[in-house]
Amino acid sequence: MPSHEQNYQIWNNSYDWSRYQGDEWSAKWGGTDMQWYWTIYPRIRYHLPAQTILDIGPGQGRWTRYLLQHCDNMVLVDLSEKCINACRRRFGEDRVLYKVGSGDSIDFLEDESIDFAFSWETLVYAEIEAVRGYLEGLARKLKPDGRAFLHHSNLASYSAYFDLTIKMPKRLRDFLKTRGLLDYDQWRARSVTAELFARCAEEVGLRVTTQELIPWGGRRLIDCFTTLTRSSGGASPRFKKNPNYHTRAYHIQELSWLYGEGVPW
Ligand SMILES: C[S@@+](CC[C@H](N)C(=O)[O-])C[C@H]1O[C@@H](n2cnc3c(N)ncnc32)[C@H](O)[C@@H]1O
């Protein structure tokens, strides 16, 4: 159950960002460019360009550098001052506002100031109280036609499975995991499901337009991409289970040998 303190401890104090600044997490795609152009950009391209983009949990700016090409201004909020300082050095002061945040709030922003909010591999570690805090914030800080694309946990859909695996002797668990017979929980938030996320969004007045359930590491669909808007009305939400998310990443990696950026791993 990741708390703000544990997140801070890992991302601010323990994790070694010095070599690749998070680009190492794109290895499965054959590099950050490949992941952006083949996996992320196709999912958010209709929301871009946007005047002001908010990146929740940018880390050291793996996606900020691409998002900056599609907006006038950006706001970066992260729990870790180490990450915020690294982003400040990387992107400068001209178009970017930086904030070390509390982990559940964007109250520091002016109301109706954000056109597009984005978050990747960050809210997956946020339990439902923090998620609710951000959603309440987005309901106020998005412009009336603003949108959000948020990557979050769906682990609680598999609570029974992960409660059971945690009870196994560690050696057996590790043995099964290394043979691909057991899923890792990937440190995902244990209180969040896609359904609960959508309900919280609707409760604060946001409208869910799409939800895509994906696996992360194993077979179970423990993660979700949710797209939200503030505007009311419109079609009912579209929902998809995408168990082939990793297979697709490996296909992209194969192409990276031909068309990629020549990454060091
Ligand atoms: C795995 S890194 C991902 C960084 C970046 N989004 C990327 O994909 O490269 C997680 C980042 O989220 C930040 N973080 C974790 N929980 C957070 C929260 N509740 N609010 C804001 N930032 C958070 C961490 O400090 C870290 O920088």
Side-chain angles (χ1 to χ4, degrees), residues 24-71:
E24 63 274 27
W25 300 318
S26 296
K28 192 178 283 177
W29 285 260
T32 307
D33 257 6
M34 296 299 276
Q35 188 179 2
W36 170 261
Y37 287 109
W38 293 73
T39 294
I40 300 183
Y41 184 68
R43 286 173 168 80
I44 63 174
R45 70 192 192 286
Y46 288 125
H47 314 311
L48 302 176
Q51 197 180 343
T52 303
I53 297 181
L54 166 69
D55 187 350
I56 302 175
Q60 300 212 348
R62 182 165 53 140
W63 308 120
T64 309
R65 73 181 164 112
Y66 297 95
L67 291 166
L68 265 172
Q69 297 168 10
H70 297 277
C71 66

Side-chain angles (χ1 to χ4, degrees), residues 2-4 7-8 10-12 15 17 21-23 25-26 35 40 55-64 77-81 83-84 99 101-105 118-127 130-131 134 151 187-188:
S3 64
H4 292 341
N7 267 291
Y8 179 83
I10 288 185
W11 305 115
N12 197 72
Y15 193 74
W17 295 87
Q21 298 176 300
D23 284 343
W25 300 318
S26 296
Q35 188 179 2
I40 300 183
D55 187 350
I56 302 175
Q60 300 212 348
R62 182 165 53 140
W63 308 120
T64 309
V77 58
D78 199 293
L79 270 184
S80 154
E81 70 264 12
C83 289
I84 287 296
K99 178 75 181 172
S102 60
D104 56 4
S105 164
F118 172 87
S119 186
W120 187 272
E121 272 193 78
T122 289
L123 296 180
V124 289
Y125 311 118
E127 298 291 353
V131 162
Y134 278 126
H151 175 197
W187 211 51
R188 272 27 193 173

Side-chain angles (χ1 to χ4, degrees), residues 72-225:
D72 295 333
N73 306 297
M74 278 199 75
V75 181
L76 307 184
V77 58
D78 199 293
L79 270 184
S80 154
E81 70 264 12
K82 185 182 192 174
C83 289
I84 287 296
N85 290 338
C87 286
R88 196 188 292 276
R89 283 194 298 276
R90 192 171 179 185
F91 303 113
E93 304 286 344
D94 284 357
R95 296 164 55 207
V96 187
L97 176 74
Y98 301 92
K99 178 75 181 172
V100 177
S102 60
D104 56 4
S105 164
I106 48 171
D107 279 352
F108 64 93
L109 290 169
E110 277 184 31
D111 285 358
E112 304 199 344
S113 59
I114 301 296
D115 298 271
F116 179 55
F118 172 87
S119 186
W120 187 272
E121 272 193 78
T122 289
L123 296 180
V124 289
Y125 311 118
E127 298 291 353
I128 196 66
E129 298 76 24
V131 162
R132 210 184 294 271
Y134 278 126
L135 290 172
E136 278 168 6
L138 288 172
R140 284 179 284 117
K141 309 303 173 181
L142 285 177
K143 290 183 183 171
D145 57 352
R147 318 268 181 87
F149 175 89
L150 306 173
H151 175 197
H152 59 87
S153 174
N154 181 45
L155 195 82
S157 295
Y158 301 96
S159 293
Y161 174 83
F162 287 104
D163 286 351
L164 195 71
T165 63
I166 204 79
K167 286 188 193 136
M168 287 178 175
K170 187 172 175 331
R171 280 180 62 184
L172 174 63
R173 206 168 63 221
D174 291 347
F175 175 84
L176 294 172
K177 276 179 182 171
T178 49
R179 276 154 188 78
L181 299 171
L182 209 65
D183 281 2
Y184 286 88
D185 70 5
Q186 305 284 347
W187 211 51
R188 272 27 193 173
R190 289 198 151 236
S191 55
V192 183
T193 64
E195 199 184 339
L196 182 57
F197 190 99
R199 206 177 325 131
C200 289
E202 307 279 348
E203 277 167 15
V204 298
L206 294 165
R207 187 166 64 83
V208 173
T209 53
T210 67
Q211 285 199 304
E212 179 183 357
L213 292 180
I214 59 155
W216 203 268
R219 283 188 297 119
R220 284 165 184 78
L221 308 177
I222 61 174
D223 282 13
C224 180
F225 303 133

